[in-house]
Amino acid sequence: HAWNRLELAAETRFPRLRELRELMVAQPRVLTARLSGSGSTLWALVESADDAARVAHDLGALGLPTLVTRTRA
C-alpha cells in the first residue's frame, strides 16, 4: 500500500494533479498511482516491463510526458 501525506494538500491546491492521477489509476495495468513528494512527479506501479511500456504508450498518446524506470528486487 502506497501513500503520501502531502498528496491531499497538493491535489486540493492543484486539482489537475488529482485528475491526472485518477487517469493513471484508470489504466487497466496500473496497480496504484501516487504523487512523489509534494507533487513534482506522478508515478504509477505496474507488474511488468511490458505493462509499463503499454501504460507509457497509452498516456503518451494522450499528450502526457512519460518515463519508464524499474526498481530492483
Side-chain angles (χ1 to χ4, degrees), residues 16 19-28 30 33 42-46 51-68:
R16 181 73 173 138
E19 292 170 13
L20 292 172
R21 185 175 57 78
E22 289 175 352
L23 176 68
M24 292 171 73
V25 170
Q27 300 298 307
V30 172
L42 286 161
W43 59 268
L45 179 66
V46 297
D51 287 348
R54 172 49 77 186
V55 169
H57 175 269
D58 292 349
L59 293 174
L62 297 173
L64 299 174
T66 61
L67 172 68
V68 175

Side-chain angles (χ1 to χ4, degrees), residues 2 4-5 7 10 15 19 22 31-32 36 38 42 47 49 51 54-56 58 60-62 69:
N4 176 343
R5 287 180 192 228
E7 190 171 87
E19 292 170 13
E22 289 175 352
L31 302 174
T32 192
S36 173
S38 59
L42 286 161
E47 288 190 13
D51 287 348
R54 172 49 77 186
V55 169
D58 292 349
L62 297 173
T69 62

